[in-house]
């Protein structure tokens, strides 16, 4: 009986031990699965953290780019607020889109943070449960010796562990689903991030194209503004010259009207005198006729008969008309002779009477002007600058470089130790230091076709063939004002020079002299010349630069009536 009982207890012990071993094996397998899942969850968490870090870096870069784009858009908005409203609208739309994208990214970031918190909570719970299971396993190992006494408790614990493993399996499956969902969301977010990066690149391309358009519009605007400024300067200068011309014309009309009124008064006075003379003549003739009638009555009363020749009215009329015609003819002849003599004396006194002293041939080149300088004279050329010649005819100095510029000189004049030259290359008057050739200052010509240049001691004078006006440039260290004069008989000016109060001009083979009185030019004399290009008058000497067609020469004359022209 005892043996049978021992065998039964041994069998029961063996069966219990097999059950315990199977439960331990199941627990080990469940622990291995839990470890595998934990490793997989850790890997997924690490990948998720790296993805989140990459995402945060991308978001930071996007935020930086968006901030720089905002600053750039603000600068563009501040600079081109008025001129480029369309581009600003597009920038505002792009800004709104970028802000919407940033808001979406922020919302997605908040969602990911929430999901990460949930995953971390699940992981912490699973860790706590795993720690509890490990503690229980260690307790069960310690309680191996007491398994015989605790078989029933172990069965109960086995049931509890089965329930717990089921719960853990459910939790693990739920965590798997959550991880899969988070991975799917991460992939979708990556796709959205790629789309956003594409949109950002498109917006950057649009912004770069807008910047290029803005640069082009700015350049066009600057060019148009420069053109408008140049047009305004031209119009203002033209308006100023017109205003000055109108003022001169108004003053001239006023002076002409006053002169005309004075002439009318003089003519009226002459008419009154003429009428008085006629009245006196008629009175004398009436008195003479009365005397004749009295004589005739006296002869008739005494019975004296006069010849028919003296008494007939036809005879009296013919005699009186013939005597009147003779008196008139004699008076007209005397007036004509007197006027011709006066005109010859006036013409002789106003014209220049020259006698050739000597002549000097010049070397090859195109000479344009001549002025007295030091003990000799200075010549200007079209392409070779200035040439200074001594009184003996020797070339002392040449200046062809003027502060690094080449000048096309068509006329020159001397003024207070300096030389003013008309540069046709740039249509300007240039003030030159004759010692060094340095350009002191320059100013643009008022007209498009300037000719000749003269200095009266205070002002520069130049004629313009396009406008037909004489321009006076007032000098106060620089040109400070321009006044125009209309000289009707002057159509061109090859050369100009002031001689006292007279302006002498060479035009189309003639020397014209004008008197400047009461702010008006009056023609004094005209005389023909040949081949004169330029000239100057120095006291009783006149030097003429002549072009014979093949060569140039300087002829020196003595002026016989120079004192009259001063």
């Amino acid at each position: 009986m005892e043996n049978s009982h021992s065998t039964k207890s041994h069998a029961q012990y063996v069966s219990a031990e097999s059950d315990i071993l199977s439960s331990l094996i199941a627990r080990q397998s469940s622990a291995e699965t839990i470890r595998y899942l934990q490793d997989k969850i850790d890997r997924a968490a690490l990948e998720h953290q790296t993805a989140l870090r990459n995402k945060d870096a991308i978001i930071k870069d996007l935020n930086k780019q968006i901030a720089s784009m905002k600053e750039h858009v603000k600068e563009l908005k501040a600079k081109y607020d008025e001129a480029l409203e369309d581009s600003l609208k597009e920038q505002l739309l792009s800004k709104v889109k970028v802000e919407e994208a940033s808001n979406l990214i922020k919302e997605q970031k908040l969602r990911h943070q929430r999901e990460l918190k949930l995953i971390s909570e699940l992981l912490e719970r699973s860790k706590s449960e795993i720690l509890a299971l490990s503690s229980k396993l260690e307790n069960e190992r310690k309680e191996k010796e007491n398994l015989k006494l605790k078989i029933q408790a172990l069965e109960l614990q086995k049931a509890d562990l089965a329930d717990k493993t089921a719960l853990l399996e459910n939790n693990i499956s739920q965590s798997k689903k959550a991880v899969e969902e988070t991975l799917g969301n991460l992939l979708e977010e990556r796709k959205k991030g790629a789309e956003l990066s594409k949109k950002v690149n498109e917006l950057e391309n649009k912004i770069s194209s807008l910047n290029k358009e803005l640069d082009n519009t700015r350049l066009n605007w600057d060019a148009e503004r420069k053109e408008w400024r140049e047009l305004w300067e031209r119009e203002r200068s033209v308006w100023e010259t017109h205003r000055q011309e109108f003022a001169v014309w108004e003053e001239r009309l006023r002076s002409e009207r006053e002169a005309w009124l004075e002439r009318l008064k003089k003519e009226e006075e002459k008419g009154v005198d003429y009428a008085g003379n006629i009245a006196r003549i008629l009175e004398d003739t009436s008195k003479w006729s009365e005397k004749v009638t009295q004589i005739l009555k006296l002869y008739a009363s005494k019975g004296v008969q006069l010849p028919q020749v003296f008494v007939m009215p036809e005879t009296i009329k013919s005699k009186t008309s013939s005597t009147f015609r003779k008196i008139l003819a004699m008076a007209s002849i005397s007036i004509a002779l007197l006027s011709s003599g006066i005109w010859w004396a006036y013409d002789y006194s106003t014209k220049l009477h020259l006698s050739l002293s000597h002549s000097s041939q010049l070397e090859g080149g195109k000479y344009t002007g001549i002025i007295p300088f030091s003990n000799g004279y200075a010549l200007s050329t079209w392409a070779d600058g200035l040439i200074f010649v001594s009184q003996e005819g020797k070339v002392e100095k040449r200046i062809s470089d003027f502060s690094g510029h080449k000048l096309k000189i068509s006329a020159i004049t001397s003024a207070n130790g300096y030389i003013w030259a008309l540069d046709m290359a740039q249509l300007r008057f240039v003030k030159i230091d004759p010692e060094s050739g340095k350009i002191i200052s320059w100013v643009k010509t008022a007209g498009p076709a300037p000719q000749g240049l003269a200095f009266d001691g205070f002002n520069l004078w130049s004629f313009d063939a396009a406008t037909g006006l004489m321009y006076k440039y007032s000098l106060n260290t620089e040109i400070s004002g321009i006044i125009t004069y209309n000289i009707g008989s002057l159509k061109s000016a090859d050369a100009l020079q002031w001689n006292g109060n007279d302006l002498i001009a060479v035009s189309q083979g003639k020397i014209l002299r004008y008197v400047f009185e009461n702010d008006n030019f009056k023609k004094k004399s005209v005389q023909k010349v040949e081949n004169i290009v330029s000239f100057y008058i120095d006291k009783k000497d006149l030097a003429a630069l002549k072009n014979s067609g093949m060569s140039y020469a300087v002829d020196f004359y003595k002026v016989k009536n120079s004192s009259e022209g001063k």
Side-chain angles (χ1 to χ4, degrees):
M1 289 294 289
E2 290 176 358
N3 290 325
S4 64
H5 184 70
S6 62
T7 54
K8 287 179 181 180
S9 62
H10 182 71
Q12 290 176 356
Y13 179 74
V14 169
S15 63
E17 190 175 6
S18 64
D19 291 332
I20 289 165
L21 288 171
S22 63
S23 64
L24 287 171
I25 291 164
R27 286 178 183 176
Q28 286 178 358
S29 63
S30 63
E32 287 176 358
T33 54
I34 287 165
R35 286 176 185 172
Y36 174 74
L37 290 171
Q38 187 177 0
D39 293 330
K40 194 172 183 180
I41 288 164
D42 292 331
R43 289 175 185 173
L46 287 171
E47 290 177 357
H48 185 66
Q49 287 177 359
T50 54
L52 286 173
R53 288 173 185 171
N54 293 325
K55 183 180 177 183
D56 291 331
I58 291 166
I59 289 165
K60 286 180 182 178
D61 293 330
L62 288 172
N63 287 326
K64 288 180 181 178
Q65 292 177 1
I66 289 163
S68 64
M69 286 166 65
K70 285 180 180 179
E71 291 176 357
H72 193 59
V73 168
K74 286 179 181 178
E75 291 176 357
L76 293 173
K77 186 177 178 182
K79 289 181 180 177
Y80 308 102
D81 205 13
E82 293 179 358
L84 305 167
E85 291 179 357
D86 295 331
S87 62
L88 286 173
K89 287 179 182 178
E90 292 179 1
Q91 288 179 1
L92 289 170
L93 291 172
S94 64
K95 185 178 178 182
V96 170
K97 289 180 182 179
V98 171
E99 286 178 356
E100 290 177 355
S102 63
N103 291 326
L104 289 171
I105 291 165
K106 287 179 181 178
E107 290 177 358
Q108 289 176 0
K109 188 176 180 181
L110 292 171
R111 288 178 186 174
H112 288 308
Q113 287 177 356
R114 290 174 184 172
E115 289 173 358
L116 287 170
K117 284 181 181 179
L118 291 172
I119 291 167
S120 63
E121 288 176 0
L122 289 171
L123 288 171
E124 286 176 359
R125 288 178 185 175
S126 61
K127 282 180 182 180
S128 63
E129 288 174 357
I130 289 164
L131 289 170
L133 287 171
S134 63
S135 63
K136 286 178 181 179
L137 287 170
E138 287 177 358
N139 290 325
E140 284 174 357
R141 285 176 185 175
K142 290 179 181 179
E143 290 176 355
K144 279 182 181 179
E145 295 176 356
N146 298 323
L147 285 173
K148 291 178 182 179
L149 301 173
K150 298 178 180 179
I151 291 170
Q152 294 177 355
L154 286 170
E155 287 178 356
L156 294 171
Q157 289 177 0
K158 185 179 177 181
D160 293 332
L161 287 170
D163 294 331
K164 288 180 179 179
T165 51
L167 290 171
L168 284 170
E169 286 177 355
N170 290 324
N171 291 326
I172 289 164
S173 63
Q174 289 177 0
S175 63
K176 280 183 179 179
K177 288 179 181 179
V179 168
E180 288 175 356
E181 288 177 357
T182 53
L183 290 171
N185 291 325
L186 284 170
L187 291 172
E188 289 178 358
E189 286 176 0
R190 284 183 181 177
K191 289 179 181 179
K192 289 179 180 179
E195 290 177 356
L196 286 172
S197 64
K198 287 181 181 178
K199 288 180 180 179
V200 168
N201 290 324
E202 290 176 356
L203 289 172
E204 287 178 352
N205 293 325
K206 286 182 179 179
I207 288 166
S208 63
S209 63
L210 287 172
N211 288 326
K212 290 178 181 178
E213 290 177 359
L214 287 172
D215 293 332
N216 292 325
T217 52
R218 183 177 63 188
L219 293 172
N220 293 327
W221 173 251
D222 291 335
E224 289 178 359
R225 185 172 61 185
K226 186 183 279 185
E227 290 177 359
W228 280 110
R229 187 178 293 167
E230 289 178 354
L231 286 172
W232 167 245
E233 291 293 334
R234 290 177 186 171
E235 291 295 328
R236 186 175 66 181
S237 63
V238 171
W239 177 80
E240 186 66 27
T241 55
H242 287 172
R243 185 180 65 80
Q244 293 172 356
E245 289 173 6
F246 289 148
V248 171
W249 288 343
E250 185 178 1
E251 184 66 26
R252 194 174 298 158
L253 287 172
R254 185 178 62 78
S255 62
E256 288 178 357
R257 184 179 61 187
E258 290 176 355
W260 182 67
L261 289 173
E262 288 179 359
R263 284 197 298 271
L264 280 177
K265 287 179 182 179
K266 290 178 181 178
E267 292 293 331
E268 287 176 356
E269 290 174 357
K270 287 180 181 179
V272 170
D273 294 336
Y274 182 68
N277 292 325
I278 291 171
R280 284 194 295 273
I281 291 166
L282 290 172
E283 188 178 356
D284 293 336
T285 53
S286 64
K287 288 179 180 179
W288 182 76
S289 63
E290 285 177 0
K291 288 179 180 179
V292 170
T293 52
Q294 287 175 3
I295 291 167
L296 289 172
K297 285 179 181 179
L298 181 63
Y299 280 118
S301 62
K302 289 182 178 181
V304 179
Q305 189 175 0
L306 294 171
Q308 283 297 107
V309 179
F310 295 103
V311 176
M312 288 177 67
E314 292 83 3
T315 320
I316 296 167
K317 188 176 180 181
S318 63
K319 291 284 184 181
T320 54
S321 62
S322 64
T323 53
F324 185 71
R325 278 198 296 271
K326 286 178 182 179
I327 292 165
L328 249 159
M330 291 295 289
S332 61
I333 289 167
S334 62
I335 288 167
L337 290 171
L338 184 63
S339 61
S340 63
I342 292 168
W343 172 251
W344 180 84
Y346 176 76
D347 186 56
Y348 183 83
S349 64
T350 54
K351 287 183 179 179
L352 294 173
H353 298 278
L354 309 173
S355 63
L356 182 63
S357 174
H358 63 279
S359 181
S360 177
Q361 292 292 325
L362 299 176
E363 297 177 356
K366 186 177 179 181
Y367 297 89
T368 57
I370 183 170
I371 58 170
F373 187 80
S374 186
N375 292 325
Y377 55 93
L379 296 166
S380 63
T381 62
W382 180 252
D384 298 328
L386 298 175
I387 300 172
F388 297 90
V389 184
S390 67
Q391 196 171 6
E392 292 78 17
K394 294 181 180 179
V395 176
E396 293 183 342
K397 184 171 60 174
R398 294 176 183 265
I399 299 176
S400 59
D401 186 21
F402 303 91
S403 299
H405 297 277
K406 296 288 185 181
L407 305 181
K408 299 291 185 182
I409 301 174
S410 65
I412 57 172
T413 187
S414 58
N416 302 323
Y418 295 98
I419 293 176
W420 280 92
L422 175 55
D423 179 20
M424 295 301 291
Q426 299 185 28
L427 290 178
R428 59 178 182 171
F429 299 113
V430 182
K431 186 178 181 181
I432 301 169
D433 183 4
E435 298 298 328
S436 61
K438 182 181 178 182
I439 294 176
I440 307 300
S441 62
W442 61 271
V443 68
K444 284 286 186 180
T445 61
Q451 291 181 335
L453 188 61
F455 181 69
D456 63 358
F458 301 97
N459 310 300
L460 280 177
W461 295 77
S462 180
F463 184 77
D464 192 272
T467 60
L469 299 173
M470 182 70 71
Y471 290 83
K472 181 174 80 170
Y473 300 85
S474 299
L475 292 180
N476 184 10
T477 66
E478 296 294 336
I479 289 178
S480 58
I482 301 172
I483 301 174
T484 59
Y485 297 90
N486 186 8
I487 306 175
S489 60
L490 188 64
K491 303 301 180 184
S492 66
D494 299 326
L496 295 171
Q497 188 181 348
W498 282 94
N499 186 27
N501 201 32
D502 293 352
L503 177 65
I504 305 174
V506 173
S507 175
Q508 298 175 353
K510 295 178 182 178
I511 292 179
L512 296 94
R513 297 177 71 188
Y514 295 92
V515 180
F516 187 64
E517 291 178 350
N518 299 323
D519 205 27
N520 195 10
F521 284 95
K522 183 180 179 182
K523 188 162 68 173
K524 189 175 181 180
S525 66
V526 179
Q527 63 187 97
K528 290 185 178 180
V529 293
E530 291 183 358
N531 305 326
I532 288 185
V533 177
S534 180
F535 72 98
Y536 73 81
I537 296 176
D538 186 13
K539 296 178 182 179
K540 293 184 178 182
D541 297 322
L542 185 143
L545 175 64
K546 291 188 176 183
N547 179 14
S548 61
M550 298 297 292
S551 62
Y552 286 86
V554 179
D555 292 343
F556 295 92
Y557 297 89
K558 292 291 182 181
V559 182
K560 296 179 181 178
N561 56 341
S562 61
S563 61
E564 296 176 1
K566 292 183 181 180

